[in-house]
Amino acid sequence: MRAAIYRGAGDITVEEVPKPEIEEPTDAIVRVTHTAVCGSDLWFYRGQRDREENSRVGHEPMGIVEEVGEDVRSVEPGDRVFAPFVVSCGECEFCRKGLHTSCRNGDSWSGDNGGAQGEYVRSPHADGTLVRVPDRHADDEETLQPLLPLTDVMGTGHHAAVSAGVEAGDTCVVVGDGAVGLCAVLAAGRLGAERIVAMGHHEDRLELAESFGATETISARGEEAIDSARELTYGGSNHVLECVGAASSMETAIEVCRPGGTIGYVGVPLGVEEEGMNLHSMFGANISLRGGVAPVRAYAEELMADVLQGTLDPSPIFTKTVGMDGVPDGYRAMDDREAIKVLVKPQE
């Protein structure tokens, strides 16, 4: 099969690799029909985060089950499925409490599992990981594309909103206009937020945020952005959704959070360790910090129900579509800010 391979900073290739096979009775093999390039993939692509060279990449698979192990009960060959960005067993202590990303038996999609930016993946713990799409929607492209973000960015944006405590009638601030931040705008609106202030640096993305339900947008940096957010929220918001992960964005989140408020953070941290966090400001203002890597498997069925009934559609975040051979260009387009998120169709 063909799969995307990380050769080094700025170098993604598409190569022939061994197709994964059933190894355990709880495995399933999935033929990938839809996947994506993630903003977090850009960290290793830019050389800002370590990754083993010559490793397979990708973590947002959707496809058709081709084969299952003898102990798999929830899916069968021919089923349409999608999967979160991590493998989880669904049975351990942490899966049972909805923290699938802390699964004691967890795994990734890289290595021998195939890499989700490829033509096939092996899903360990298929019953705990794979989410089955109802048959009546299994081949409806207008439904499948809105479902694909549930593998990562839509569930992650939702985790930010839940962690920040967003409820009906609230005002919240979303820091970041990437795919996760845009999905966080959708999630906040879904939870009933009355005012959603979206902060970013790209006018086209902020226009999309408005179409997703942002009531106000801020296109600025540094103190100018912070002052604007404070002015709009009369001194700060009780609910701030941090969706970038950079030290500067975390500092912005702290500065725009109202005393006694909560920051829901889901951006993969980069540079925070070196630059530190302003814990003194958080301590003095009694600001709470909740969140982390999003357990998107815990939210999958809930969000899928809204997609299937037509009340949730994050698919406009896909602004470029490529086949398998186009994956390297997809990385380049996202790195150059020419695309918000790239949809990959490996079988085309």
Side-chain angles (χ1 to χ4, degrees), residues 235-250:
S237 174
N238 284 316
H239 313 281
V240 179
L241 288 63
E242 196 287 314
C243 301
V244 180
S248 59
S249 61
M250 184 62 77

Side-chain angles (χ1 to χ4, degrees), residues 59-272:
H59 55 255
E60 300 164 279
M62 170 187 283
I64 305 295
V65 176
E66 185 173 88
E67 184 181 0
V68 298
E70 60 183 15
D71 289 347
V72 175
R73 297 291 179 266
S74 63
V75 296
E76 59 186 28
D79 285 347
R80 167 75 64 178
V81 296
F82 65 88
F85 58 84
V86 295
V87 170
S88 55
C89 71
E91 298 176 345
C92 73
E93 168 193 358
F94 298 109
C95 286
R96 291 198 305 271
K97 65 171 61 175
L99 285 175
H100 297 77
T101 47
S102 296
C103 175
R104 292 195 178 278
N105 305 300
D107 204 346
S108 75
W109 296 108
S110 302
D112 291 341
N113 289 338
Q117 288 164 14
E119 294 178 320
Y120 292 87
V121 291
R122 178 179 73 95
S123 174
H125 304 293
D127 285 338
T129 301
L130 300 179
V131 182
R132 184 178 179 277
V133 178
D135 289 342
R136 65 184 180 278
H137 300 285
D139 298 311
D140 180 7
E141 190 66 24
E142 292 186 2
T143 300
L144 298 180
Q145 290 196 25
L147 283 175
L148 183 60
L150 274 58
T151 62
D152 189 339
V153 291
M154 187 63 232
T156 297
H158 180 67
H159 189 55
V162 170
S163 298
V166 176
E167 296 180 349
D170 285 340
T171 293
C172 66
V173 173
V174 177
V175 180
D177 59 6
V180 172
L182 293 168
C183 287
V185 170
L186 278 176
R190 179 179 175 276
L191 294 174
E194 184 174 315
R195 293 184 66 203
I196 305 170
V197 180
M199 303 180 69
H201 311 317
H202 308 89
E203 293 294 344
D204 58 334
R205 299 183 182 203
L206 292 175
E207 289 177 5
L208 183 54
E210 289 182 333
S211 74
F212 277 0
T215 53
E216 293 104 339
T217 61
I218 297 171
S219 179
R221 298 176 184 269
E223 288 300 321
E224 180 185 356
I226 291 169
D227 290 344
S228 296
R230 285 175 170 170
E231 181 178 356
L232 282 173
T233 57
Y234 309 106
S237 174
N238 284 316
H239 313 281
V240 179
L241 288 63
E242 196 287 314
C243 301
V244 180
S248 59
S249 61
M250 184 62 77
E251 186 64 28
T252 296
I254 294 169
E255 293 297 322
V256 303
C257 192
R258 202 174 194 85
T262 301
I263 298 170
Y265 75 109
V266 296
V268 180
L270 183 72
V272 176

